[in-house]
Protein backbone atom coordinates (compact mmCIF):
# COMPACT_ATOMS: atom_id res chain seq x y z
CA UNK A 1 0.00 0.00 0.00
CA UNK A 2 1.09 3.56 -0.77
CA UNK A 3 4.62 2.58 -1.88
CA UNK A 4 4.82 5.39 -4.39
CA UNK A 5 4.02 8.13 -1.91
CA UNK A 6 6.35 6.63 0.69
CA UNK A 7 9.07 6.58 -1.91
CA UNK A 8 8.42 10.20 -2.91
CA UNK A 9 8.95 11.33 0.67
CA UNK A 10 11.97 9.20 1.27
CA UNK A 11 13.71 10.39 -1.91
CA UNK A 12 13.10 14.01 -0.89
CA UNK A 13 14.35 13.32 2.62
CA UNK A 14 17.53 11.73 1.23
CA UNK A 15 18.07 14.57 -1.24
CA UNK A 16 17.93 17.07 1.61
CA UNK A 17 20.46 15.00 3.48
CA UNK A 18 22.95 15.57 0.66
CA UNK A 19 22.55 19.34 0.66
CA UNK A 20 23.17 22.31 2.82
CA UNK A 21 20.25 24.48 3.79
CA UNK A 22 20.80 27.16 1.19
CA UNK A 23 17.70 28.58 -0.41
CA UNK A 24 18.71 27.36 -3.86
CA UNK A 25 19.22 23.81 -2.62
CA UNK A 26 15.94 23.86 -0.74
CA UNK A 27 14.07 25.06 -3.83
CA UNK A 28 15.71 22.35 -5.89
CA UNK A 29 14.68 19.55 -3.55
CA UNK A 30 11.20 20.99 -3.08
CA UNK A 31 10.78 20.97 -6.85
CA UNK A 32 11.75 17.29 -6.98
CA UNK A 33 9.37 16.58 -4.12
CA UNK A 34 6.58 18.41 -5.92
CA UNK A 35 6.99 16.30 -9.05
CA UNK A 36 7.09 13.07 -7.07
CA UNK A 37 3.98 14.06 -5.12
CA UNK A 38 2.10 15.00 -8.28
CA UNK A 39 2.94 11.55 -9.63
CA UNK A 40 1.45 10.04 -6.47
CA UNK A 41 -1.87 11.87 -6.99
CA UNK A 42 -1.30 14.40 -4.26
CA UNK A 43 -3.41 17.53 -4.80
CA UNK A 44 -1.68 20.86 -5.35
CA UNK A 45 -3.27 22.26 -2.16
CA UNK A 46 -1.40 19.60 -0.18
CA UNK A 47 1.85 20.09 -2.05
CA UNK A 48 1.78 23.87 -1.55
CA UNK A 49 1.08 23.48 2.16
CA UNK A 50 3.89 20.94 2.58
CA UNK A 51 6.35 23.10 0.68
CA UNK A 52 5.43 26.22 2.64
CA UNK A 53 5.73 24.44 5.98
CA UNK A 54 9.07 22.89 5.08
CA UNK A 55 10.51 26.07 3.72
CA UNK A 56 9.51 28.01 6.82
CA UNK A 57 11.27 25.46 9.00
CA UNK A 58 14.37 25.01 6.92
CA UNK A 59 15.42 28.36 5.58
CA UNK A 60 18.06 29.70 7.85
CA UNK A 61 17.84 26.74 10.19
CA UNK A 62 21.02 25.73 11.94
CA UNK A 63 20.83 22.00 11.65
CA UNK A 64 23.85 19.75 11.35
CA UNK A 65 24.21 18.50 7.82
CA UNK A 66 23.96 14.86 8.81
CA UNK A 67 20.72 15.51 10.69
CA UNK A 68 18.91 17.39 7.93
CA UNK A 69 17.23 14.29 6.52
CA UNK A 70 15.65 13.40 9.87
CA UNK A 71 14.49 16.96 10.41
CA UNK A 72 12.87 17.06 6.97
CA UNK A 73 11.15 13.75 7.60
CA UNK A 74 9.85 14.96 10.91
CA UNK A 75 8.56 18.22 9.43
CA UNK A 76 6.76 16.47 6.56
CA UNK A 77 5.18 14.07 8.99
CA UNK A 78 4.05 16.91 11.24
CA UNK A 79 2.50 18.88 8.36
CA UNK A 80 0.50 15.88 7.15
CA UNK A 81 -0.52 14.98 10.67
CA UNK A 82 -1.87 18.53 11.12
CA UNK A 83 -3.98 18.19 7.98
CA UNK A 84 -5.71 15.15 9.46
CA UNK A 85 -6.14 16.88 12.83
CA UNK A 86 -7.84 19.88 11.21
CA UNK A 87 -10.36 17.54 9.54
CA UNK A 88 -11.27 15.97 12.92
CA UNK A 89 -12.86 12.53 13.31
CA UNK A 90 -16.32 10.95 13.48
CA UNK A 91 -17.06 8.01 15.75
CA UNK A 92 -20.00 6.39 13.99
CA UNK A 93 -20.67 3.72 16.59
CA UNK A 94 -20.86 6.10 19.53
CA UNK A 95 -23.02 8.52 17.49
CA UNK A 96 -25.44 5.69 16.67
CA UNK A 97 -25.58 4.81 20.36
CA UNK A 98 -26.40 8.41 21.30
CA UNK A 99 -29.36 8.45 18.87
CA UNK A 100 -30.45 5.02 20.02
CA UNK A 101 -30.50 6.26 23.61
CA UNK A 102 -32.96 8.94 22.46
CA UNK A 103 -35.05 6.29 20.69
CA UNK A 104 -34.21 7.60 17.20
CA UNK A 105 -32.61 5.93 14.17
CA UNK A 106 -29.23 7.19 12.97
CA UNK A 107 -29.33 8.04 9.27
CA UNK A 108 -26.32 7.76 6.97
CA UNK A 109 -26.44 8.69 3.28
CA UNK A 110 -23.77 7.51 0.85
CA UNK A 111 -22.77 9.34 -2.28
CA UNK A 112 -20.24 8.89 -5.04
CA UNK A 113 -20.07 7.92 -8.67
CA UNK A 114 -20.75 4.47 -10.13
CA UNK A 115 -18.06 1.86 -9.96
CA UNK A 116 -16.24 3.29 -6.96
CA UNK A 117 -17.45 0.46 -4.73
CA UNK A 118 -20.30 2.37 -3.09
CA UNK A 119 -22.79 -0.53 -2.99
CA UNK A 120 -20.21 -2.95 -1.61
CA UNK A 121 -19.17 -0.35 0.98
CA UNK A 122 -22.75 0.12 2.17
CA UNK A 123 -22.99 -3.65 2.62
CA UNK A 124 -19.67 -3.65 4.52
CA UNK A 125 -20.91 -0.90 6.84
CA UNK A 126 -24.21 -2.74 7.35
CA UNK A 127 -22.22 -5.83 8.31
CA UNK A 128 -19.99 -3.84 10.68
CA UNK A 129 -22.99 -2.27 12.42
CA UNK A 130 -24.68 -5.60 12.83
CA UNK A 131 -21.50 -7.08 14.28
CA UNK A 132 -21.72 -4.27 16.82
CA UNK A 133 -25.28 -5.33 17.65
CA UNK A 134 -27.08 -2.49 15.91
CA UNK A 135 -30.12 -3.19 13.72
CA UNK A 136 -29.94 -1.82 10.18
CA UNK A 137 -32.16 -1.16 7.16
CA UNK A 138 -30.95 -0.11 3.75
CA UNK A 139 -32.82 2.36 1.52
CA UNK A 140 -32.37 1.55 -2.18
CA UNK A 141 -32.59 5.20 -3.18
CA UNK A 142 -30.64 4.70 -6.39
CA UNK A 143 -33.76 4.43 -8.55
CA UNK A 144 -31.80 5.58 -11.59
CA UNK A 145 -29.16 3.01 -12.57
CA UNK A 146 -30.43 -0.22 -14.10
CA UNK A 147 -29.69 -3.08 -11.74
CA UNK A 148 -28.92 -0.89 -8.72
CA UNK A 149 -31.99 -1.98 -6.74
CA UNK A 150 -31.30 -5.68 -7.39
CA UNK A 151 -27.61 -5.23 -6.53
CA UNK A 152 -28.24 -3.71 -3.13
CA UNK A 153 -31.16 -6.14 -2.66
CA UNK A 154 -28.78 -9.06 -3.20
CA UNK A 155 -26.41 -7.77 -0.47
CA UNK A 156 -29.45 -7.36 1.79
CA UNK A 157 -30.42 -10.98 1.19
CA UNK A 158 -26.92 -12.27 1.87
CA UNK A 159 -26.63 -10.25 5.05
CA UNK A 160 -30.23 -10.84 6.04
CA UNK A 161 -30.87 -7.10 6.22
CA UNK A 162 -34.16 -5.45 5.15
CA UNK A 163 -33.88 -3.32 2.00
CA UNK A 164 -36.60 -0.70 1.43
CA UNK A 165 -37.19 -0.06 -2.28
CA UNK A 166 -39.67 1.24 -4.86
CA UNK A 167 -39.65 1.04 -8.65
CA UNK A 168 -37.01 2.49 -10.95
CA UNK A 169 -37.74 6.11 -11.73
CA UNK A 170 -39.49 6.77 -8.43
CA UNK A 171 -38.44 9.65 -6.21
CA UNK A 172 -35.29 8.68 -4.26
CA UNK A 173 -36.27 11.04 -1.44
CA UNK A 174 -39.56 9.12 -1.06
CA UNK A 175 -37.64 5.83 -0.75
CA UNK A 176 -35.42 7.35 1.92
CA UNK A 177 -38.48 8.66 3.77
CA UNK A 178 -40.11 5.20 3.62
CA UNK A 179 -37.00 3.76 5.22
CA UNK A 180 -37.15 6.32 8.02
CA UNK A 181 -40.84 5.57 8.69
CA UNK A 182 -40.11 1.83 8.66
CA UNK A 183 -37.20 2.27 11.07
CA UNK A 184 -39.24 4.35 13.47
CA UNK A 185 -42.08 1.83 13.57
CA UNK A 186 -39.70 -1.15 13.89
CA UNK A 187 -37.24 0.49 16.27
CA UNK A 188 -34.32 0.09 13.85
CA UNK A 189 -31.05 1.70 15.01
CA UNK A 190 -29.53 2.74 11.73
CA UNK A 191 -30.59 3.56 8.14
CA UNK A 192 -28.12 3.38 5.27
CA UNK A 193 -29.22 5.25 2.16
CA UNK A 194 -27.75 4.29 -1.20
CA UNK A 195 -28.00 7.22 -3.62
CA UNK A 196 -27.60 7.10 -7.39
CA UNK A 197 -23.97 7.05 -8.44
CA UNK A 198 -23.65 10.13 -10.53
CA UNK A 199 -21.15 12.27 -12.24
CA UNK A 200 -20.29 15.12 -9.96
CA UNK A 201 -20.92 17.46 -12.88
CA UNK A 202 -24.56 16.45 -13.35
CA UNK A 203 -26.54 19.25 -11.74
CA UNK A 204 -29.91 17.42 -11.87
CA UNK A 205 -28.54 14.42 -10.10
CA UNK A 206 -26.75 16.57 -7.56
CA UNK A 207 -30.04 18.38 -6.90
CA UNK A 208 -31.62 14.98 -6.22
CA UNK A 209 -29.03 14.24 -3.55
CA UNK A 210 -29.70 17.64 -2.00
CA UNK A 211 -33.43 16.77 -1.97
CA UNK A 212 -32.80 13.46 -0.17
CA UNK A 213 -30.64 15.29 2.32
CA UNK A 214 -33.36 17.90 2.88
CA UNK A 215 -36.19 15.38 3.22
CA UNK A 216 -34.57 12.96 5.67
CA UNK A 217 -31.80 15.16 7.08
CA UNK A 218 -29.11 12.45 7.51
CA UNK A 219 -26.99 12.48 10.65
CA UNK A 220 -23.98 11.64 8.51
CA UNK A 221 -23.27 12.18 4.82
CA UNK A 222 -20.46 10.04 3.49
CA UNK A 223 -18.60 10.32 0.23
CA UNK A 224 -17.31 7.04 -1.20
CA UNK A 225 -14.27 7.38 -3.46
CA UNK A 226 -12.07 4.94 -5.31
CA UNK A 227 -8.46 5.42 -4.19
CA UNK A 228 -7.21 3.96 -7.46
CA UNK A 229 -8.80 6.81 -9.41
CA UNK A 230 -6.42 9.24 -7.67
CA UNK A 231 -6.88 12.79 -8.87
CA UNK A 232 -10.30 12.03 -10.35
CA UNK A 233 -11.45 10.95 -6.92
CA UNK A 234 -10.09 14.15 -5.42
CA UNK A 235 -12.00 16.29 -7.90
CA UNK A 236 -15.17 14.25 -7.33
CA UNK A 237 -14.75 14.79 -3.60
CA UNK A 238 -14.25 18.52 -4.10
CA UNK A 239 -17.40 18.79 -6.23
CA UNK A 240 -19.59 16.59 -4.01
CA UNK A 241 -18.41 18.53 -1.00
CA UNK A 242 -19.38 21.82 -2.64
CA UNK A 243 -22.91 20.51 -3.11
CA UNK A 244 -23.49 18.46 0.00
CA UNK A 245 -20.91 19.44 2.62
CA UNK A 246 -20.42 15.74 3.37
CA UNK A 247 -19.06 14.87 6.81
CA UNK A 248 -16.50 12.25 5.92
CA UNK A 249 -15.20 9.90 3.27
CA UNK A 250 -14.57 6.22 2.75
CA UNK A 251 -11.81 5.26 0.36
CA UNK A 252 -12.27 1.93 -1.41
CA UNK A 253 -9.71 -0.37 -3.00
CA UNK A 254 -6.86 0.79 -0.77
CA UNK A 255 -5.61 -2.79 -0.88
CA UNK A 256 -4.51 -2.13 -4.46
CA UNK A 257 -3.46 1.50 -4.05
CA UNK A 258 0.27 1.95 -4.50
CA UNK A 259 0.09 5.74 -4.62
CA UNK A 260 -1.74 6.83 -1.49
CA UNK A 261 -2.16 10.49 -2.43
CA UNK A 262 -5.97 10.45 -2.50
CA UNK A 263 -6.37 10.15 1.27
CA UNK A 264 -4.31 13.22 2.21
CA UNK A 265 -5.72 15.19 -0.71
CA UNK A 266 -9.39 14.56 0.12
CA UNK A 267 -8.79 15.44 3.74
CA UNK A 268 -7.03 18.68 2.85
CA UNK A 269 -9.36 19.72 0.01
CA UNK A 270 -12.63 19.05 1.90
CA UNK A 271 -11.46 19.42 5.52
CA UNK A 272 -13.36 16.19 6.18
CA UNK A 273 -11.91 13.04 7.70
CA UNK A 274 -11.43 9.66 6.05
CA UNK A 275 -13.43 7.28 8.24
CA UNK A 276 -12.76 3.89 6.67
CA UNK A 277 -10.62 2.24 4.05
CA UNK A 278 -11.97 -0.54 1.84
CA UNK A 279 -9.30 -3.25 1.70
CA UNK A 280 -10.89 -6.01 -0.38
CA UNK A 281 -14.09 -7.40 -1.78
CA UNK A 282 -15.42 -9.27 1.26
CA UNK A 283 -17.80 -7.75 3.80
CA UNK A 284 -15.11 -7.87 6.48
CA UNK A 285 -12.66 -5.94 4.28
CA UNK A 286 -13.24 -2.56 5.85
CA UNK A 287 -10.95 -0.99 8.40
CA UNK A 288 -11.13 2.21 10.39
CA UNK A 289 -8.80 4.83 9.04
CA UNK A 290 -6.04 5.45 11.54
CA UNK A 291 -3.90 8.54 11.09
CA UNK A 292 -0.98 7.08 13.01
CA UNK A 293 -0.94 3.89 10.96
CA UNK A 294 -1.11 5.94 7.76
CA UNK A 295 1.80 8.14 8.85
CA UNK A 296 3.76 5.09 9.90
CA UNK A 297 3.24 3.55 6.47
CA UNK A 298 4.70 6.68 4.90
CA UNK A 299 7.44 7.61 7.33
CA UNK A 300 8.14 4.67 9.61
CA UNK A 301 7.37 4.31 13.33
CA UNK A 302 6.71 7.56 15.18
CA UNK A 303 8.72 6.64 18.27
CA UNK A 304 11.90 6.31 16.24
CA UNK A 305 11.35 9.66 14.55
CA UNK A 306 10.45 11.28 17.85
CA UNK A 307 13.50 9.97 19.65
CA UNK A 308 15.73 11.11 16.81
CA UNK A 309 13.98 14.46 16.87
CA UNK A 310 14.67 14.81 20.57
CA UNK A 311 18.37 14.25 20.07
CA UNK A 312 18.60 16.36 16.94
CA UNK A 313 16.30 19.24 17.55
CA UNK A 314 16.70 20.16 21.16
CA UNK A 315 16.47 23.00 21.78
CA UNK A 316 13.70 23.35 19.17
CA UNK A 317 14.49 27.07 18.96
CA UNK A 318 17.33 26.19 16.63
CA UNK A 319 14.92 25.48 13.83
CA UNK A 320 13.32 28.90 13.85
CA UNK A 321 14.01 31.06 10.81
CA UNK A 322 17.25 32.85 11.45
CA UNK A 323 18.67 36.00 9.87
CA UNK A 324 19.53 35.56 6.19
CA UNK A 325 23.20 35.45 7.19
CA UNK A 326 22.75 31.72 7.78
CA UNK A 327 22.07 31.21 4.10
CA UNK A 328 25.62 32.10 3.09
CA UNK A 329 27.90 29.24 2.16
CA UNK A 330 29.31 27.69 5.28
CA UNK A 331 32.68 26.13 4.56
CA UNK A 332 32.66 24.76 8.12
CA UNK A 333 29.86 22.41 7.21
CA UNK A 334 31.95 20.67 4.60
P1 LIG B 1 -20.66 0.84 -7.20
O1 LIG B 1 -21.00 0.88 -8.65
O2 LIG B 1 -19.97 2.08 -6.78
O3 LIG B 1 -21.81 0.50 -6.33
O4 LIG B 1 -19.56 -0.31 -7.05
P2 LIG B 1 -19.63 -1.80 -6.51
O5 LIG B 1 -19.96 -1.85 -5.07
O6 LIG B 1 -20.48 -2.60 -7.42
O7 LIG B 1 -18.10 -2.24 -6.66
C1 LIG B 1 -17.42 -2.25 -7.88
C2 LIG B 1 -16.31 -3.30 -7.83
O8 LIG B 1 -15.32 -2.90 -6.90
C3 LIG B 1 -16.81 -4.66 -7.34
O9 LIG B 1 -16.17 -5.66 -8.08
C4 LIG B 1 -16.35 -4.70 -5.88
O10 LIG B 1 -16.14 -6.03 -5.41
C5 LIG B 1 -15.05 -3.94 -5.96
N1 LIG B 1 -14.65 -3.34 -4.69
C6 LIG B 1 -15.38 -2.56 -3.87
N2 LIG B 1 -14.66 -2.18 -2.79
C7 LIG B 1 -13.43 -2.75 -2.92
C8 LIG B 1 -12.21 -2.71 -2.11
O11 LIG B 1 -12.11 -2.08 -1.06
N3 LIG B 1 -11.15 -3.42 -2.61
C9 LIG B 1 -11.22 -4.12 -3.78
N4 LIG B 1 -10.13 -4.77 -4.18
N5 LIG B 1 -12.32 -4.16 -4.56
C10 LIG B 1 -13.43 -3.48 -4.13
Amino acid sequence: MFEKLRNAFSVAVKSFGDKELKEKDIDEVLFELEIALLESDVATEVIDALKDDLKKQLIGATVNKDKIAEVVKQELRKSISNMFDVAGTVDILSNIQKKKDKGEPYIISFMGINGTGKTTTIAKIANLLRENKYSVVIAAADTYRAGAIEQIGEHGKRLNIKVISQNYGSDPAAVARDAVLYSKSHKIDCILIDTAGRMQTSKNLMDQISKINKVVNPDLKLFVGDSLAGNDTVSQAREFHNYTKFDGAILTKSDADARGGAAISIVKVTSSPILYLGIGQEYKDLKSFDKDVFLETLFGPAEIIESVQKKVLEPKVELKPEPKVELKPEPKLN
Side-chain angles (χ1 to χ4, degrees):
M1 256 166 152
F2 314 146
E3 299 81 9
K4 197 156 182 185
L5 190 55
R6 182 171 54 227
N7 199 34
F9 287 129
S10 96
V11 168
V13 164
K14 279 200 199 97
S15 305
F16 268 116
D18 295 338
K19 312 252 163 150
E20 291 163 29
L21 294 182
K22 287 182 271 180
E23 191 156 10
K24 189 176 141 287
D25 289 337
I26 291 175
D27 282 339
E28 224 169 72
V29 181
L30 286 180
F31 180 71
E32 282 165 27
L33 177 65
E34 177 166 359
I35 301 296
L37 291 180
L38 283 171
E39 283 171 357
S40 302
D41 291 336
V42 176
T44 46
E45 284 93 332
V46 178
I47 297 175
D48 290 347
L50 289 178
K51 280 170 54 185
D52 283 355
D53 286 356
L54 252 187
K55 222 169 164 172
K56 255 184 241 147
Q57 293 297 338
L58 294 183
I59 290 188
T62 51
V63 183
N64 282 344
K65 191 170 179 312
D66 56 341
K67 308 290 187 210
I68 292 173
E70 277 311 323
V71 172
V72 169
K73 191 168 172 179
Q74 178 63 20
E75 291 304 331
L76 283 169
R77 192 182 194 283
K78 210 163 62 189
S79 301
I80 293 175
S81 178
N82 281 343
M83 289 176 200
F84 286 112
D85 291 345
V86 167
T89 53
V90 177
D91 183 343
I92 295 188
L93 295 179
S94 78
N95 290 351
I96 293 175
Q97 186 58 45
K98 278 184 207 141
K99 286 279 304 257
K100 186 178 163 85
D101 292 344
K102 286 197 261 173
E104 291 172 23
Y106 188 77
I107 306 174
I108 309 178
S109 67
F110 294 80
M111 63 198 90
I113 71 162
N114 288 332
T116 52
K118 181 162 53 67
T119 318
T120 311
T121 301
I122 293 171
K124 287 177 179 177
I125 294 279
N127 183 50
L128 173 84
L129 297 182
R130 256 239 318 259
E131 280 179 350
N132 283 275
K133 309 279 179 268
Y134 292 112
S135 53
V136 182
V137 299
I138 296 174
D142 180 354
T143 59
Y144 183 78
R145 178 171 63 111
I149 298 175
E150 289 78 7
Q151 195 187 341
I152 196 79
E154 187 55 38
H155 285 299
K157 245 188 245 155
R158 272 190 236 157
L159 289 164
N160 199 18
I161 284 175
K162 171 97 178 156
V163 175
I164 307 283
S165 62
Q166 294 183 11
N167 294 329
Y168 285 102
S170 56
D171 180 2
V175 180
R177 196 172 39 212
D178 275 1
V180 174
L181 293 176
Y182 178 91
S183 298
K184 285 187 173 159
S185 62
H186 290 77
K187 302 223 172 319
I188 301 290
D189 302 323
C190 192
I191 304 165
L192 308 181
I193 304 174
D194 182 18
T195 66
R198 55 208 67 204
M199 284 312 294
Q200 68 274 24
T201 44
S202 166
K203 182 165 185 321
N204 274 350
L205 293 171
M206 280 293 194
D207 286 346
Q208 251 185 34
I209 289 202
S210 306
K211 185 174 171 194
I212 298 175
N213 288 341
K214 260 188 212 129
V215 170
V216 299
N217 192 20
D219 297 284
L220 188 68
K221 291 172 282 192
L222 294 182
F223 168 77
V224 179
D226 176 346
S227 29
L228 299 182
N231 276 322
D232 277 352
T233 304
V234 177
S235 54
Q236 288 158 21
R238 192 193 314 266
E239 204 63 30
F240 271 97
H241 195 259
N242 285 344
Y243 268 94
T244 65
K245 297 283 169 283
F246 60 72
D247 308 290
I250 298 180
L251 273 180
T252 63
K253 308 177 196 173
S254 294
D255 46 313
D257 179 19
R259 297 181 183 184
I264 318 175
S265 306
I266 289 175
V267 163
K268 174 76 180 163
V269 164
T270 68
S271 295
S272 313
I274 306 287
L275 303 188
Y276 292 97
L277 297 177
I279 51 163
Q281 295 183 297
E282 307 290 322
Y283 292 137
K284 61 169 181 30
D285 292 332
L286 184 74
K287 69 170 184 190
S288 291
F289 180 84
D290 182 324
K291 178 189 87 170
D292 294 324
V293 172
F294 182 78
L295 291 172
E296 191 170 319
T297 309
L298 298 185
F299 298 107
E303 318 79 65
I304 295 177
I305 299 178
E306 269 155 25
S307 76
V308 172
Q309 188 203 22
K310 267 201 194 112
K311 279 184 222 139
V312 175
L313 288 184
E314 276 170 356
K316 182 85 180 74
V317 182
E318 284 190 0
L319 261 188
K320 277 196 182 150
E322 292 287 331
K324 289 279 180 224
V325 160
E326 294 290 337
L327 284 175
K328 286 182 187 160
E330 293 239 6
K332 262 186 293 169
L333 281 178
N334 294 323

